[in-house]
Amino acid sequence: MRTYPILPLACFLLSACGSAADESAAPAATTNTEATSGAESADATPTAAVQAATAVATLESKSESHVTGTIRFRQSADGVEVTADLAGLTPNTKHGFHVHETGDCSAADGTSAGGHWNPAGVPHALPPAASRHAGDMGNLTSDADGKVHVTETFHGFELAGPNSVVGRAVIVHAKEDVGSQPSGDAGARVACGVIVAE
């Protein structure tokens, strides 16, 4: 009896089975890739949440002024969008405004908020200068009614992490910040508000 012709047939069958097994494994690889993509999407969600973070400072009148209002902060991919809505300022004038180092507005003249927030220890300057105090936001210009409504985007600080302004204070000054040292010669502190996360 001849049996040797069966061996090539067995090898052929085993080879065909191996191909079928390889084909059945392919969808599993696709499933794993899809699972990885899903994980990457999940990782993107916290980043989006950070970019959507908001905070607000409700301003109290200081130095016997009548200035009140709010300054809102919104984190975006382009920086921090700052919206100032104020009333009670001298009409048609410029007023320096800055983030100050301490979230304390208890003093009648706002001095409890400390100096400009300057973690890098660089000289004072006006935007858009790249090298300036992190808290230097330049000037607000009041209209004929002594009001301000303006939105600007700033870089150099954030609403989370080591460069966060949350818990610090915003100060509005009586005069224009002229960019001089050490802090712009902007005069009295006429409003103060602690920046609080929303």
Side-chain angles (χ1 to χ4, degrees):
M1 181 176 67
R2 297 180 180 180
T3 57
Y4 57 88
I6 296 174
L7 292 174
L9 178 60
C11 289
F12 173 77
L13 291 173
L14 286 173
S15 179
C17 290
S19 297
D22 291 342
E23 289 172 4
S24 66
T30 302
T31 303
N32 289 341
T33 301
E34 290 170 357
T36 301
S37 297
E40 289 171 357
S41 297
D43 289 344
T45 304
T47 303
V50 168
Q51 291 178 347
T54 59
V56 63
T58 302
L59 300 180
E60 309 169 24
S61 300
K62 295 295 173 184
S63 303
E64 301 182 355
S65 80
H66 299 287
V67 180
T68 58
T70 58
I71 298 183
R72 296 189 175 278
F73 299 80
R74 186 180 70 83
Q75 186 75 53
S76 73
D78 296 327
V80 177
E81 186 180 274
V82 178
T83 299
D85 283 291
L86 309 178
L89 293 162
T90 303
N92 301 313
T93 52
K94 291 185 177 182
H95 301 268
F97 82 123
H98 316 98
V99 175
H100 283 242
E101 57 194 4
T102 306
D104 181 355
C105 293
S106 60
D109 60 0
T111 54
S112 51
H116 293 186
W117 179 48
N118 184 22
V122 297
H124 173 70
L126 296 172
S131 179
R132 65 181 195 273
H133 299 166
D136 289 344
M137 295 189 290
N139 290 287
L140 300 169
T141 302
S142 62
D143 63 16
D145 296 318
K147 295 180 179 180
V148 170
H149 176 74
V150 66
T151 298
E152 295 183 48
T153 299
F154 293 95
H155 304 91
F157 60 80
E158 299 173 340
L159 299 187
N163 291 323
S164 175
V165 294
V166 173
R168 303 190 185 280
V170 177
I171 293 285
V172 177
H173 291 267
K175 300 190 302 182
E176 178 181 0
D177 181 339
V178 296
S180 60
Q181 301 306 320
S183 58
D185 193 28
R189 304 176 182 201
V190 295
C192 180
V194 178
I195 303 169
V196 179
E198 291 187 301

